Amino acid sequence: HEGEQRYDDELGPRNQLHQEFWTTGDSQRMQQIIAQLDIALVYVGQLEQYLHPAAVAKLDQMAQQGLLTPVYRNERTVIYAVPGRLVQTEAGYYVPH
């Protein structure tokens, strides 16, 4: 959907970082990309699990280290919040910080 919402010159570098995020074996690089793209949530669904199992495992490790917070989980999907980017309301909802 990014190609529908952005100009081509904005999509190229962002798309390259997206690809690198899912293919790098380095969790520190994943953190750098999260910061560079100002990511607040990371969605891990069936497609990500199928195409990028090593990256999914790295995200799980990052969550165990407190670098990401799982805010939603079921048998097929995990959504991680990046600490400091969202705040949780008293009702349990996450909103931009």
Side-chain angles (χ1 to χ4, degrees):
H1 74 283
E2 290 289 324
E4 298 170 0
Q5 299 173 4
R6 299 183 189 282
Y7 295 107
D8 287 340
D9 60 331
E10 294 175 340
L11 187 59
R14 186 177 178 88
N15 191 45
Q16 290 171 348
L17 288 172
H18 174 262
Q19 291 299 322
E20 184 181 356
F21 177 84
W22 289 107
T23 57
T24 185
D26 183 357
S27 60
Q28 286 184 326
R29 181 62 185 141
M30 290 175 92
Q31 288 177 276
Q32 290 171 345
I33 294 169
I34 287 170
Q36 185 174 351
L37 295 177
D38 198 26
I39 293 172
L41 295 169
V42 179
Y43 177 91
V44 180
Q46 292 176 308
L47 184 62
E48 292 79 12
Q49 292 171 24
Y50 177 76
L51 293 176
H52 308 291
V56 171
K58 288 278 185 210
L59 292 169
D60 186 50
Q61 289 174 352
M62 290 169 65
Q64 291 174 17
Q65 297 169 351
L67 301 171
L68 296 172
T69 304
V71 294
Y72 177 82
R73 183 185 301 268
N74 70 20
E75 63 278 352
R76 294 185 269 177
T77 303
V78 180
I79 300 174
Y80 297 102
V82 178
R85 301 282 169 84
L86 299 174
V87 294
Q88 190 174 18
T89 66
E90 289 182 22
Y93 299 107
Y94 286 85
V95 296
H97 189 263

